[in-house]
Amino acid sequence: MTIEPTRMLTGPGVLRVVWLPGSDQLQGTCHCGAVHIAEGPVEVWDWLLAHPVGHEPPPAATHVQPVLVGAGV
Ligand SMILES: [Zn+2]
């Protein structure tokens, strides 16, 4: 089963959280590509917001607006 969202923001500073169907778990994806699976929203957001310690989105991209893209639209 694929868990890819049908619509999502893209960009260098985007943090993504998706629910894993059939479970009580959430998968958080950092802008650097690191992935963490958590039992709840507090845990996943704590990890996402703490994970970027030591790394930031590319400075050149700080003024780039995230773009909402849709699949099959
Ligand atoms: Zn990261």
Side-chain angles (χ1 to χ4, degrees):
M1 170 185 291
T2 180
I3 59 167
E4 289 301 312
T6 57
R7 292 168 19 123
M8 64 182 180
L9 290 170
T10 62
V14 173
L15 303 174
R16 181 162 51 127
V17 174
V18 296
W19 169 61
L20 300 177
S23 75
D24 292 330
Q25 296 179 317
L26 297 173
Q27 176 180 295
T29 304
C30 182
H31 57 77
C32 74
V35 173
H36 178 74
I37 295 175
E39 295 295 325
V42 173
E43 182 184 345
V44 76
W45 280 108
D46 278 350
W47 180 85
L48 280 170
L49 297 177
H51 185 256
V53 172
H55 73 277
E56 297 289 335
T62 55
H63 299 290
V64 175
Q65 291 292 326
V67 178
L68 183 63
V69 296
V73 177

Coordinates of all heavy atoms in Angstrom, one line a residue:
M1 N 0.8 -1.2 0.0 CA 0.0 0.0 0.0 C 0.9 1.2 0.0 O 1.8 1.3 0.8 CB -0.9 0.0 1.2 CG -1.6 1.3 1.4 SD -2.6 1.3 3.0 CE -3.9 0.1 2.6
T2 N 0.6 2.2 -0.9 CA 1.3 3.4 -0.9 C 0.8 4.4 0.1 O -0.4 4.4 0.3 CB 1.4 4.0 -2.3 OG1 2.1 5.2 -2.3 CG2 0.0 4.3 -2.8
I3 N 1.6 5.2 0.7 CA 1.2 6.1 1.7 C 1.4 7.5 1.2 O 1.3 8.5 1.9 CB 1.8 5.9 3.0 CG1 3.3 6.0 2.9 CG2 1.4 4.6 3.6 CD1 4.0 6.2 4.3
E4 N 1.8 7.7 -0.1 CA 2.1 9.0 -0.6 C 0.9 9.9 -0.7 O -0.2 9.4 -1.1 CB 2.7 8.9 -2.0 CG 4.1 8.3 -2.0 CD 5.1 9.1 -1.2 OE1 5.2 10.3 -1.3 OE2 5.8 8.5 -0.4
P5 N 1.0 11.0 -0.1 CA -0.2 12.0 -0.2 C -0.5 12.3 -1.7 O 0.4 12.3 -2.5 CB 0.3 13.2 0.5 CG 1.5 12.8 1.3 CD 2.1 11.6 0.5
T6 N -1.8 12.6 -1.9 CA -2.1 13.0 -3.3 C -1.8 14.4 -3.6 O -1.7 14.8 -4.7 CB -3.6 12.8 -3.5 OG1 -4.4 13.5 -2.5 CG2 -4.0 11.3 -3.4
R7 N -1.7 15.3 -2.5 CA -1.3 16.7 -2.7 C -0.3 17.0 -1.5 O -0.5 16.6 -0.4 CB -2.5 17.6 -2.6 CG -3.4 17.5 -3.8 CD -4.7 18.2 -3.6 NE -4.8 19.2 -2.7 CZ -5.1 20.5 -2.9 NH1 -5.4 20.9 -4.1 NH2 -5.2 21.4 -1.9
M8 N 0.7 17.7 -1.8 CA 1.7 18.1 -0.8 C 2.5 19.3 -1.2 O 2.6 19.6 -2.3 CB 2.6 16.9 -0.4 CG 3.5 16.5 -1.6 SD 4.5 15.1 -1.1 CE 5.4 14.9 -2.6
L9 N 3.0 20.0 -0.1 CA 3.9 21.1 -0.4 C 5.3 20.6 -0.8 O 5.7 19.5 -0.3 CB 4.0 21.9 0.9 CG 2.8 22.8 1.3 CD1 3.0 23.3 2.7 CD2 2.6 23.9 0.3
T10 N 6.0 21.3 -1.6 CA 7.3 20.9 -1.9 C 8.2 22.2 -1.6 O 7.7 23.3 -1.6 CB 7.5 20.6 -3.4 OG1 7.2 21.7 -4.2 CG2 6.7 19.4 -3.7
G11 N 9.5 21.9 -1.3 CA 10.4 23.1 -1.1 C 11.4 22.6 -0.1 O 11.3 21.6 0.6
P12 N 12.5 23.4 0.0 CA 13.6 23.0 0.8 C 13.3 23.1 2.3 O 14.0 22.5 3.1 CB 14.7 24.0 0.4 CG 13.9 25.2 -0.1 CD 12.7 24.6 -0.8
G13 N 12.3 23.8 2.8 CA 12.1 24.0 4.2 C 10.8 23.2 4.7 O 10.4 23.5 5.8
V14 N 10.2 22.4 3.8 CA 9.0 21.8 4.2 C 9.2 20.5 5.1 O 10.0 19.7 4.8 CB 8.2 21.3 2.9 CG1 7.0 20.5 3.2 CG2 7.8 22.6 2.1
L15 N 8.4 20.5 6.1 CA 8.4 19.3 7.0 C 7.0 18.6 6.7 O 6.0 19.3 6.6 CB 8.4 19.7 8.5 CG 9.7 20.5 8.9 CD1 9.6 21.0 10.3 CD2 10.9 19.7 8.7
R16 N 7.1 17.3 6.6 CA 5.8 16.6 6.2 C 5.5 15.5 7.2 O 6.4 14.8 7.7 CB 6.1 15.9 4.8 CG 4.8 15.2 4.3 CD 4.9 14.9 2.9 NE 6.2 14.3 2.4 CZ 6.2 13.2 1.7 NH1 5.2 12.6 1.3 NH2 7.4 12.7 1.4
V17 N 4.2 15.5 7.6 CA 3.7 14.5 8.5 C 2.6 13.7 7.8 O 1.6 14.4 7.3 CB 3.2 15.1 9.8 CG1 2.6 14.0 10.7 CG2 4.4 15.7 10.6
V18 N 2.6 12.4 7.7 CA 1.6 11.6 7.1 C 1.2 10.5 8.1 O 2.0 10.0 8.9 CB 1.9 11.0 5.8 CG1 2.2 12.1 4.7 CG2 3.1 10.1 5.9
W19 N -0.1 10.2 8.1 CA -0.6 9.1 8.9 C -0.4 7.8 8.2 O -0.5 7.7 6.9 CB -2.1 9.3 9.1 CG -2.9 8.1 9.7 CD1 -2.6 7.6 10.9 CD2 -3.9 7.4 9.1 NE1 -3.5 6.5 11.1 CE2 -4.3 6.4 10.0 CE3 -4.6 7.5 7.9 CZ2 -5.3 5.5 9.7 CZ3 -5.6 6.6 7.6 CH2 -5.9 5.6 8.5
L20 N 0.0 6.8 8.9 CA 0.2 5.5 8.3 C -1.1 4.7 8.4 O -1.4 4.3 9.5 CB 1.4 4.8 9.0 CG 2.7 5.5 8.9 CD1 3.8 4.7 9.7 CD2 3.2 5.7 7.5
P21 N -1.8 4.5 7.3 CA -3.1 3.8 7.4 C -3.0 2.4 8.0 O -2.0 1.7 7.8 CB -3.5 3.7 5.9 CG -2.7 4.8 5.2 CD -1.4 4.9 6.0
G22 N -4.0 2.1 8.8 CA -4.0 0.9 9.5 C -3.2 0.8 10.8 O -3.1 -0.2 11.4
S23 N -2.7 2.0 11.2 CA -2.0 2.1 12.5 C -2.3 3.3 13.2 O -3.1 4.1 12.7 CB -0.5 2.0 12.2 OG -0.1 3.3 11.7
D24 N -1.8 3.5 14.4 CA -1.9 4.8 15.1 C -0.6 5.6 15.0 O -0.4 6.4 15.8 CB -2.2 4.5 16.6 CG -3.6 3.8 16.8 OD1 -4.5 4.1 16.0 OD2 -3.7 3.1 17.7
Q25 N 0.1 5.3 13.9 CA 1.4 6.0 13.8 C 1.4 7.1 12.8 O 0.7 7.1 11.8 CB 2.5 4.9 13.4 CG 2.7 3.9 14.5 CD 3.7 2.8 14.1 OE1 3.7 2.4 13.0 NE2 4.5 2.5 15.1
L26 N 2.3 8.0 13.0 CA 2.6 9.1 12.1 C 4.0 9.1 11.6 O 4.9 8.8 12.4 CB 2.3 10.5 12.7 CG 0.9 10.7 13.2 CD1 0.8 12.0 14.0 CD2 -0.1 10.8 12.0
Q27 N 4.2 9.4 10.3 CA 5.5 9.4 9.7 C 5.9 10.8 9.4 O 5.2 11.5 8.6 CB 5.6 8.6 8.5 CG 7.0 8.6 7.8 CD 7.0 7.8 6.5 OE1 6.9 6.6 6.6 NE2 7.2 8.4 5.4
G28 N 7.0 11.3 10.1 CA 7.5 12.6 9.8 C 8.7 12.6 8.9 O 9.5 11.8 9.1
T29 N 8.7 13.5 7.9 CA 9.8 13.6 7.0 C 10.4 15.0 7.1 O 9.7 16.0 6.9 CB 9.4 13.3 5.6 OG1 8.8 12.0 5.5 CG2 10.6 13.3 4.6
C30 N 11.7 15.1 7.5 CA 12.4 16.4 7.5 C 12.7 16.9 6.1 O 12.8 16.1 5.2 CB 13.7 16.2 8.4 SG 14.6 17.7 8.6
H31 N 13.0 18.2 6.0 CA 13.4 18.7 4.7 C 14.7 18.1 4.2 O 15.0 18.2 3.0 CB 13.5 20.3 4.8 CG 14.4 20.8 5.8 ND1 15.8 20.7 5.7 CD2 14.2 21.3 7.1 CE1 16.4 21.2 6.8 NE2 15.4 21.5 7.6
C32 N 15.5 17.5 5.1 CA 16.8 16.9 4.7 C 16.6 15.5 4.2 O 17.5 14.9 3.8 CB 17.8 17.0 5.9 SG 17.4 15.8 7.2
G33 N 15.3 15.0 4.4 CA 15.1 13.6 3.9 C 15.0 12.6 5.0 O 14.6 11.5 4.8
A34 N 15.4 13.0 6.2 CA 15.3 12.0 7.3 C 13.9 11.7 7.7 O 13.0 12.6 7.6 CB 16.1 12.6 8.5
V35 N 13.6 10.5 8.0 CA 12.3 10.0 8.3 C 12.2 9.5 9.7 O 13.1 8.8 10.2 CB 11.8 8.9 7.3 CG1 10.5 8.3 7.7 CG2 11.8 9.5 5.9
H36 N 11.1 9.8 10.4 CA 10.9 9.2 11.8 C 9.4 8.8 11.9 O 8.6 9.6 11.5 CB 11.3 10.3 12.8 CG 11.0 9.9 14.2 ND1 11.9 9.0 14.9 CD2 10.1 10.3 15.1 CE1 11.4 8.9 16.1 NE2 10.3 9.6 16.3
I37 N 9.2 7.7 12.5 CA 7.8 7.2 12.7 C 7.6 7.3 14.2 O 8.4 6.9 15.1 CB 7.7 5.7 12.3 CG1 7.8 5.7 10.7 CG2 6.3 5.2 12.7 CD1 7.8 4.3 10.1
A38 N 6.4 8.0 14.5 CA 6.1 8.3 15.9 C 4.7 7.8 16.3 O 3.9 7.5 15.4 CB 6.2 9.8 16.2
E39 N 4.4 7.7 17.6 CA 3.1 7.2 18.0 C 2.0 8.3 18.0 O 0.8 8.0 18.2 CB 3.2 6.6 19.4 CG 4.1 5.4 19.4 CD 3.5 4.2 18.7 OE1 2.3 4.0 18.6 OE2 4.3 3.5 18.0
G40 N 2.4 9.5 17.9 CA 1.4 10.6 18.0 C 2.0 11.9 17.5 O 3.2 12.0 17.2
P41 N 1.1 12.9 17.3 CA 1.5 14.2 16.7 C 2.5 14.9 17.6 O 3.4 15.6 17.0 CB 0.2 15.0 16.6 CG -0.8 14.3 17.5 CD -0.4 12.8 17.6
V42 N 2.4 14.9 18.9 CA 3.4 15.6 19.7 C 4.8 15.0 19.5 O 5.7 15.8 19.3 CB 3.0 15.5 21.2 CG1 4.0 16.1 22.1 CG2 1.6 16.2 21.4
E43 N 4.9 13.7 19.5 CA 6.2 13.0 19.3 C 6.8 13.3 18.0 O 7.9 13.7 17.9 CB 6.0 11.5 19.5 CG 7.4 10.8 19.4 CD 7.2 9.3 19.5 OE1 6.2 8.8 19.9 OE2 8.2 8.6 19.1
V44 N 5.9 13.2 16.9 CA 6.5 13.5 15.6 C 6.9 14.9 15.4 O 8.0 15.2 14.8 CB 5.5 13.0 14.5 CG1 4.4 13.9 14.3 CG2 6.3 12.8 13.2
W45 N 6.1 15.9 15.9 CA 6.5 17.3 15.8 C 7.7 17.6 16.7 O 8.5 18.5 16.3 CB 5.3 18.2 16.0 CG 4.4 18.3 14.8 CD1 3.2 17.7 14.6 CD2 4.8 18.9 13.5 NE1 2.8 17.9 13.4 CE2 3.7 18.6 12.7 CE3 5.9 19.6 13.1 CZ2 3.7 19.1 11.3 CZ3 5.8 20.0 11.7 CH2 4.8 19.8 10.9
D46 N 7.8 17.0 17.8 CA 9.0 17.3 18.7 C 10.2 16.8 17.9 O 11.2 17.5 17.9 CB 8.9 16.5 20.0 CG 8.0 17.2 21.0 OD1 7.7 18.4 20.8 OD2 7.7 16.6 22.1
W47 N 10.1 15.7 17.3 CA 11.3 15.2 16.5 C 11.6 16.1 15.3 O 12.7 16.4 15.1 CB 11.0 13.7 16.0 CG 12.2 13.2 15.3 CD1 13.3 12.6 15.8 CD2 12.4 13.2 13.9 NE1 14.2 12.3 14.8 CE2 13.6 12.6 13.6 CE3 11.6 13.7 12.8 CZ2 14.1 12.5 12.3 CZ3 12.1 13.6 11.5 CH2 13.3 13.0 11.3
L48 N 10.6 16.4 14.6 CA 10.8 17.3 13.4 C 11.4 18.6 13.8 O 12.3 19.1 13.1 CB 9.5 17.5 12.6 CG 9.0 16.4 11.8 CD1 7.6 16.6 11.3 CD2 9.9 16.2 10.6
L49 N 10.9 19.2 14.8 CA 11.4 20.6 15.2 C 12.7 20.5 15.8 O 13.5 21.5 15.8 CB 10.3 21.3 16.1 CG 9.0 21.5 15.3 CD1 8.0 22.1 16.3 CD2 9.2 22.4 14.1
A50 N 13.1 19.4 16.4 CA 14.4 19.2 17.1 C 15.4 18.7 16.1 O 16.6 19.0 16.2 CB 14.3 18.3 18.3
H51 N 15.0 18.0 15.0 CA 15.9 17.3 14.1 C 16.8 18.3 13.4 O 18.0 18.0 13.2 CB 15.1 16.5 13.1 CG 16.1 15.7 12.2 ND1 16.3 16.0 10.9 CD2 16.8 14.6 12.5 CE1 17.2 15.2 10.4 NE2 17.5 14.3 11.3
P52 N 16.3 19.4 13.0 CA 17.2 20.3 12.2 C 18.3 21.0 13.0 O 19.0 21.8 12.5 CB 16.2 21.4 11.7 CG 14.9 20.8 11.7 CD 14.9 19.9 13.0
V53 N 18.5 20.6 14.3 CA 19.7 21.1 15.0 C 20.9 20.8 14.2 O 21.2 19.6 13.9 CB 19.7 20.5 16.4 CG1 21.0 20.9 17.1 CG2 18.5 20.9 17.2
G54 N 21.7 21.8 13.9 CA 22.9 21.6 13.1 C 22.7 21.7 11.6 O 23.7 21.6 10.9
H55 N 21.5 21.7 11.2 CA 21.3 21.9 9.7 C 20.1 22.8 9.5 O 19.1 22.7 10.2 CB 21.3 20.6 8.9 CG 20.0 19.8 9.1 ND1 19.8 19.0 10.2 CD2 18.9 19.7 8.3 CE1 18.6 18.4 10.0 NE2 18.1 18.8 8.9
E56 N 20.1 23.6 8.4 CA 19.0 24.5 8.1 C 18.8 24.3 6.6 O 19.6 23.8 5.9 CB 19.4 25.9 8.3 CG 19.7 26.2 9.8 CD 18.4 26.3 10.6 OE1 17.3 26.5 10.1 OE2 18.5 26.0 11.8
P57 N 17.6 24.7 6.1 CA 17.4 24.7 4.7 C 18.4 25.6 4.0 O 19.0 26.5 4.6 CB 16.0 25.3 4.5 CG 15.3 25.2 5.9 CD 16.4 25.2 6.9
P58 N 18.7 25.3 2.7 CA 19.7 26.1 2.0 C 19.4 27.6 2.1 O 18.2 28.0 1.9 CB 19.6 25.6 0.6 CG 19.1 24.3 0.7 CD 18.2 24.3 1.9
P59 N 20.3 28.5 2.5 CA 20.1 29.9 2.7 C 19.5 30.6 1.5 O 18.6 31.4 1.6 CB 21.4 30.5 3.0 CG 22.3 29.4 3.5 CD 21.7 28.1 2.8
A60 N 19.9 30.1 0.3 CA 19.3 30.7 -0.9 C 17.9 30.5 -1.1 O 17.2 31.2 -1.9 CB 20.1 30.2 -2.1
A61 N 17.4 29.5 -0.4 CA 16.0 29.1 -0.6 C 15.0 29.7 0.5 O 13.8 29.5 0.4 CB 15.8 27.6 -0.5
T62 N 15.6 30.6 1.4 CA 14.7 31.1 2.4 C 13.6 32.0 1.9 O 12.6 32.2 2.6 CB 15.6 31.8 3.5 OG1 16.3 32.8 2.8 CG2 16.5 30.9 4.2
H63 N 13.8 32.5 0.7 CA 12.7 33.4 0.2 C 11.9 32.7 -0.8 O 11.0 33.4 -1.4 CB 13.4 34.7 -0.4 CG 14.1 35.5 0.7 ND1 13.5 36.2 1.7 CD2 15.4 35.7 0.8 CE1 14.4 36.7 2.4 NE2 15.6 36.5 2.0
V64 N 12.1 31.5 -1.0 CA 11.3 30.7 -2.0 C 10.0 30.3 -1.3 O 10.0 29.7 -0.2 CB 12.1 29.5 -2.5 CG1 11.2 28.6 -3.4 CG2 13.3 29.9 -3.2
Q65 N 8.9 30.6 -1.9 CA 7.6 30.1 -1.4 C 7.4 28.7 -1.7 O 7.6 28.2 -2.8 CB 6.5 30.9 -2.0 CG 6.4 32.4 -1.6 CD 6.1 32.6 -0.1 OE1 5.3 31.8 0.4 NE2 6.7 33.6 0.5
P66 N 7.0 27.9 -0.7 CA 6.6 26.5 -1.0 C 5.5 26.5 -2.0 O 4.6 27.4 -2.0 CB 6.1 25.9 0.4 CG 6.7 26.8 1.4 CD 6.8 28.2 0.7
V67 N 5.5 25.5 -2.8 CA 4.5 25.4 -3.9 C 3.6 24.2 -3.6 O 4.1 23.1 -3.4 CB 5.1 25.2 -5.3 CG1 4.1 25.1 -6.4 CG2 6.0 26.4 -5.5
L68 N 2.3 24.4 -3.7 CA 1.3 23.2 -3.5 C 1.2 22.5 -4.9 O 0.8 23.2 -5.9 CB 0.0 23.7 -3.1 CG -1.1 22.7 -2.8 CD1 -0.6 21.7 -1.7 CD2 -2.4 23.3 -2.5
V69 N 1.5 21.3 -4.9 CA 1.4 20.5 -6.1 C 0.4 19.4 -5.9 O 0.2 18.9 -4.8 CB 2.7 19.9 -6.5 CG1 3.8 20.9 -6.9 CG2 3.3 18.9 -5.5
G70 N -0.3 19.1 -7.0 CA -1.3 18.0 -6.9 C -1.0 16.9 -7.9 O -0.5 17.1 -9.0
A71 N -1.4 15.7 -7.5 CA -1.2 14.6 -8.4 C -2.5 14.4 -9.3 O -3.6 14.4 -8.7 CB -1.0 13.3 -7.6
G72 N -2.4 14.3 -10.5 CA -3.5 14.1 -11.4 C -4.4 15.2 -11.5 O -5.6 15.1 -11.9
V73 N -4.0 16.4 -11.2 CA -4.9 17.6 -11.3 C -4.5 18.4 -12.5 O -3.3 18.7 -12.7 CB -4.8 18.5 -10.0 CG1 -5.6 19.7 -10.2 CG2 -5.2 17.7 -8.8
Ligands
ZN1 ZN 16.6 17.0 9.0

